[in-house]
Structure formats: C-alpha cells, structure tokens
C-alpha cells in the first residue's frame, strides 16, 4: 500500500515538474515591415547585442513565408499569434467588411478610451475569431499567467495579446501618450500614468528643438518612436512583475511599428529606414540586456518575426530598369464601372449603374444591390470584371474568389488567395498584380507598400532565442502560421483554436 501511494505521489511530482518546465517569460516581438533581408543588409553595422545576438545565439528559419494574401499589418500580427489565416481567424485586412460595412479591424463601439479624451481607445480584439498563444497560455496556467501587449499601433498591440489579455497598450497620436480600453481596465495603472508623464516631458523638448515639424512626425519617423515603445515594454515587465512570479509563465507581445510608418513614406532604401533599423538594433540590445538582468539569461524565450515585408519603390525600380508601376485602385474602379456600364447598357454616373463598389486590398467588391436592381446575373458581371482586368497593363491574373480552387493560376497564388478569403468579410474578385506593381495614390512617390503574394512582401524573419533554443539555422520553408504552434509545442500547451500551422521546433535539434 505504501509503495502504491509513493508511486502515485512520484507521478504527481513528476507531472508537476514537467508542467513547470517552461520559461519564466515569453516575449513575442514583431518588427513591422521587416523584410527578411534586413537581418543581413545592415549586419555589419549592428551591435553584438541586438539582431546579431539573435542570429549568433538563437535559431533562425531562413525561409519563413506568409501563406495568404493580402500581406498586411493586422493580418500578419493575427496570423503570427493564432497560427491561422484570414479565412479562419477573421481578420481579413486592416479594414474589412463587417455586416456589409467597412470596419477597422479592432473597432469596438461598446468600449471607451482609457488614458485620454480621444476616441483612439475604442478598440478590442472582438472581431478576431480565434485564440492566440497568450490565450492558450492563460488557460493552461489556470488563468494565473499575465499576458500584456505593447505597441505604437493599436492593432499591433491588441490582436497579438488576444482575447484574455490582462492589458494592451498603444500610442494615441493625438494625445501623445500610451492608452488602453475599457475592454481591459477602467483606468490606467499608476505606472503607465507616470510613464506617460515622463515621455510627455521628453516630447515637449523634442518639439522645442524642431518647431517646423509636426510633433508626431518627430516621434514616428525617427528611432524615438520605437524607443518609447521598448521602454514601455520594460516598464510593463518591471511593474507587472512579468516573469518574476514563482512557478508562473507570463507573456509579453511587443510590436515595433515605426519601421512600417517610415517605410511607407520613404521606401526600403532611404536613410531614414536605415536609421530606424540601426536604432532598433541598439534598442533590442538594451531590451535583451534588461531581460538578462531582470528575468535571467536562459530563463526567457524570445521569438522575433514580421507581419509582412515591403516592395522596393517603383521609382527606384524604374531607375534601375526593373519592371514596376503603380495601381491606383480609385481611378481603376472608376474605369471599371464605366466599362461595365457600357457592357450592360447602364449609366455609370448614376449610383444604380455602378456595379463595383470599390477595390480593397486588390479585391473587387461587387455592388450586389445594383446588380439585383438591374436584374443582372452576378456570374455575368463577375466574368465582365475578369475580362476587363485581363486587358489591364498592371494585372497578371484575375479570378472570382468563389472559384479560386479551380483558377488557372500557379498553385502558390491559388493557396494564398484561398487562405486570405473570408467570404463575408473580403471582396469578391481577386486581382493579382505583376511583380513590382503595387497599389499607389494618384501620384507615385518614393515610399512603398505591401500586400501582394511576392517574396518581397511575404519573406519574413523568424528567429528564436533563449530558453531551450540551440544555436543554428534551417533553410527549409516554413510559414507564418507555423510560429504559434512551434511556441506552443515548446511550452507544452494547446495550440490556438484556429491554428493550421505545424510545430517546427524539431528542426532545432
């Protein structure tokens, strides 16, 4: 009898020991608009403690690909932390259709701003349909873990942290401070208020030094924007004691947004983009050193990735004889409606004669009310749209998304289109632009964007460092959707509810 009891207790203790074999803190870092090649383009200028440390101490997957379109911010952040794609997790864009109306991905009119008088905090993760790594960690740890999201952008803080997050904080560009939402809390913790007061004094000094530039531009187009984001993350670790509570694993999601903001305005090869990454490298070195001192080297797990990459600028491409041009969707949609009106004998100057509502993320949104009012066949209209774009100089392929599975396009494009299609939230007809072509305003400038299937938009970094991570690399292809199940496998917790990826931590052996 004593032997049986002893064996039973041993099994309990053994199981308990296995359950506790986790890092003290998991830190998921996303660098917005970080192409994979940025790991190496500036390598000689990086310090030993930032990106170089990740590569020299950690494990890098050299061919991590986004497996859906459009490759844009809200989707990327969601896919990294859910292991899923828009057709399942529901975040079909930065903006998408919800009940037939265009909606910002994290808009939530049922909540209020916490920390300022603006409407910038009326946000929550409710439009996301799947759980995240943090959600599954909370559940696995009987809701004793803490999960906190920090970013300059609202969506980059809210969506990675998940539904059960203790807090998400983002920067209010009007009030110039970090805020949150009543989804998480009724008032800011005292430490956040104190931090806001500190950076408020710094921002005033910035404004005094350059009175000819908007204050927000002095923040977001310079390394300072990422600097205050990094320091906010450190303050969260310190004041919430993340990773410093006995037998507990916590999680911090941290997204650096100013690299994306700068890239959109200045492009992939501008000195300001260069300065952002040299500055970010130093900030990461500072942050990793802080983790070493606060949590303990080897006791935390860091993974770094990106929500998407970016195309080289059109003007740069053209200067160097690379085929490239813009696709101004507003003007194209006007031309499309004129062509459709002529085909079906309608008046495009009248709202009832415009059969295409608009083009979003290279998808045509049908005006079904107009199609029904004119007693037209939706299939006939769709075919007319496809015929129109087959003649467009910027377009390589065009097909109705309901027929994507049989579309005569390369399999990789077909798969990405299907993964990115949420029937009640996406557009109806997919446009695939030629390589080097991307959406622009009326005038093409030196800046850039992203969203297409091509490697420049979809080849992203995936690097792990710290707890139980050996040094090494793998050249085998993995996907953005493999990140979440890999982290969950390392933590011995269930993968998120909509996860379609596979753990790839066995390649680290």
């Amino acid at each position: 009898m004593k032997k049986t009891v002893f064996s039973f207790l041993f099994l309990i203790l053994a199981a308990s020991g296995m359950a506790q074999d986790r890092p003290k803190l998991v830190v998921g870092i996303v660098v917005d608009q970080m192409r994979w090649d940025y790991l190496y383009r500036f390598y000689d200028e990086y310090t030993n403690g930032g990106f170089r440390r990740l590569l020299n101490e950690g494990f890098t997957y050299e061919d991590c690909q986004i497996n859906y379109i459009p490759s844009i911010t809200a989707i990327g952040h969601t896919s990294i932390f859910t292991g899923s794609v828009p057709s399942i997790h529901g975040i079909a864009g930065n903006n998408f259709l919800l009940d037939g109306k265009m909606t910002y991905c994290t808009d939530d009119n049922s909540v209020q701003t916490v920390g300022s008088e603006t409407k910038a905090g009326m946000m929550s993760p409710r439009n996301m349909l799947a759980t995240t790594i943090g959600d599954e960690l909370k559940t696995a740890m009987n809701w004793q873990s803490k999960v906190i999201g920090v970013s300059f952008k609202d969506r980059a803080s809210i969506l990675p942290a998940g539904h059960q997050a203790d807090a998400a904080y983002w920067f209010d560009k009007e009030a110039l401070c970090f805020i949150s939402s009543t989804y998480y809390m009724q008032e800011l913790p005292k430490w956040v208020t104190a931090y806001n007061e500190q950076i408020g004094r710094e921002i005033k000094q910035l404004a005094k030094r350059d009175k000819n530039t908007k204050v927000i531009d002095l923040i977001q187009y310079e390394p300072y924007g990422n600097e205050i984001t990094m320091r906010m993350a450190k303050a969260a670790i310190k004041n919430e004691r993340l990773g410093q509570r006995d037998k507990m694993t916590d999680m911090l999601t941290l997204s650096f947004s100013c690299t994306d903001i700068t890239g959109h305005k200045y492009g992939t090869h501008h000195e300001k983009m260069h300065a952002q990454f040299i500055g970010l490298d130093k900030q990461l070195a500072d942050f990793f050193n802080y983790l070493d001192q606060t949590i303990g080297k080897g006791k935390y797990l860091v993974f770094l990735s990106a929500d998407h990459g970016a195309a080289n600028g059109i003007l740069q491409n053209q200067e160097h004889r690379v085929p490239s041009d813009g696709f101004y969707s507003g003007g194209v949609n006007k031309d499309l409606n004129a062509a459709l009106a002529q085909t079906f004998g309608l008046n495009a100057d009248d709202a009832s004669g415009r059969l295409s509502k608009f083009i979003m993320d290279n998808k045509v949104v049908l005006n079904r009310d107009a199609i029904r009012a004119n007693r037209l066949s939706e299939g006939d209209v769709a075919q007319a749209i496809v015929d129109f774009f087959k003649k467009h100089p910027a377009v390589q392929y065009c097909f109705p998304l309901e027929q994507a599975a049989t579309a005569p396009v390369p399999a990789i494009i077909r798969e990405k289109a299907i993964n990115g299609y949420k029937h009640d939230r996406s557009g109806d007809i997919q446009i695939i632009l030629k390589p080097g072509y991307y959406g622009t305003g009326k005038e093409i400038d030196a800046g850039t964007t992203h969203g297409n299937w091509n490697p420049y938009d979809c080849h992203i970094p995936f690097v792990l460092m710290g707890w139980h991570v050996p040094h090494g690399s793998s050249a085998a292809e993995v996907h953005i959707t493999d990140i979440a199940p890999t982290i969950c496998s390392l933590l011995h917790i269930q993968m998120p509810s909509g996860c379609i990826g596979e753990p790839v931590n066995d390649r680290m052996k």
Side-chain angles (χ1 to χ4, degrees), residues 100 333 337 354-359 364-369:
N333 194 57
N337 271 317
R354 294 193 285 270
L355 304 180
S356 167
K357 281 188 175 181
F358 47 81
I359 299 172
V364 179
V365 179
L366 295 177
N367 186 346
R368 288 183 167 79
D369 290 339

Side-chain angles (χ1 to χ4, degrees), residues 39-52:
L39 283 172
Y40 301 99
R41 186 191 297 179
F42 312 121
Y43 183 87
D44 290 344
E45 299 177 73
Y46 289 151
T47 65
N48 289 326
F51 287 114
R52 278 196 191 185

Side-chain angles (χ1 to χ4, degrees), residues 366-417:
L366 295 177
N367 186 346
R368 288 183 167 79
D369 290 339
I371 292 172
R372 283 192 293 267
N374 289 287
R375 298 184 179 181
L376 298 174
S377 160
E378 193 172 299
D380 289 345
V381 173
Q383 185 58 54
I385 292 172
V386 169
D387 292 341
F388 172 85
F389 281 111
K390 281 182 176 179
K391 301 174 184 176
H392 195 284
V395 176
Q396 193 157 43
Y397 303 107
C398 182
F399 51 89
L401 280 157
E402 289 289 349
Q403 301 170 23
T406 57
V409 300
I412 187 173
I413 295 176
R414 188 185 309 126
E415 178 185 0
K416 290 187 178 190

Side-chain angles (χ1 to χ4, degrees), residues 224-235:
Y224 182 70
N226 284 334
E227 171 71 22
I228 60 176
T229 303
M230 184 271 290
R231 285 160 47 196
M232 179 67 176
K234 288 168 61 176

Side-chain angles (χ1 to χ4, degrees), residues 112-116 118 121 178-183 185-188:
Q112 300 299 316
T113 303
V114 175
S116 79
T118 75
F178 281 93
I179 62 171
S180 191
S181 153
T182 53
Y183 178 88
M185 64 192 71
Q186 295 303 309
E187 60 182 9
L188 291 179

